[in-house]
Amino acid sequence: GTDATCTYTAMNNGRGYDSRLTKLYIAIHHKPTNTLKLIPSSEKGTVFSLEQQVSDYTDSKSYDHRNMTMNERRRMVFESFGSQKKKKVMRSQDANVVEMKSVVGAGEGMMKA
C-alpha cells in the first residue's frame, strides 16, 4: 500500500512459531506516562515483515562524495538535518566569504606573504 510519503510492501512468507525459546514482541511507548509496554507479537502465529520505502528519497549513492570538499559535505548534512538556526549561520558564513580576486591590491606579492 501507499500513503502520502511512503510505499509499503509485505512478503507472503512469514516467520512462524517453531517452539524455540525466543519470542517476538512489539514495544509500545506511552508518552504521557513515559512507560513502555511489551506485547507478544506472535505466540503461536506468524509474523510478516513489512518494508517501508520513502517515495521522494534520493539515494546518497547518486552523489560523488569523493570529489566534494569537506565544506560541501558539511553543507549537505546541515541542509538535510540541520536546525533553522544552524542553516542561518551557514548562510551567514557564505555571505562573509571574501574571494582573493575581489580584494583591491591583492597581487602576486600578497599571495607570497
Side-chain angles (χ1 to χ4, degrees), residues 40-56:
S41 61
S42 175
E43 287 295 321
K44 290 196 175 183
T46 304
V47 177
F48 295 95
S49 64
L50 181 69
E51 183 179 324
Q52 177 182 9
Q53 184 176 11
V54 180
S55 304
D56 293 332

Side-chain angles (χ1 to χ4, degrees), residues 4-104:
T5 57
C6 296
T7 303
Y8 305 95
T9 55
M11 296 177 11
N12 286 341
N13 54 346
R15 184 174 178 182
Y17 178 75
D18 58 2
S19 72
R20 291 187 295 175
L21 296 177
T22 58
K23 305 275 184 195
L24 297 174
Y25 287 86
I26 294 176
I28 298 177
H29 181 246
H30 189 251
K31 288 183 182 179
T33 60
N34 199 25
T35 58
L36 190 68
K37 184 176 182 180
L38 295 175
I39 299 172
S41 61
S42 175
E43 287 295 321
K44 290 196 175 183
T46 304
V47 177
F48 295 95
S49 64
L50 181 69
E51 183 179 324
Q52 177 182 9
Q53 184 176 11
V54 180
S55 304
D56 293 332
Y57 176 71
T58 304
D59 190 7
S60 63
K61 293 178 184 173
S62 63
Y63 295 111
D64 188 9
H65 296 289
R66 293 172 295 187
N67 296 333
M68 296 176 73
T69 65
M70 189 62 187
N71 196 24
E72 290 171 332
R73 291 181 189 182
R74 187 170 171 246
R75 174 161 316 290
M76 286 180 68
V77 169
F78 286 121
E79 285 175 2
S80 298
F81 303 108
S83 65
Q84 290 298 325
K85 184 176 179 181
K86 187 61 180 177
K87 289 177 185 178
K88 186 176 179 182
V89 169
M90 296 294 284
R91 284 192 301 268
S92 175
Q93 288 174 350
D94 286 343
N96 292 332
V97 171
V98 177
E99 295 183 19
M100 282 302 291
K101 65 181 180 183
S102 64
V103 176
V104 176

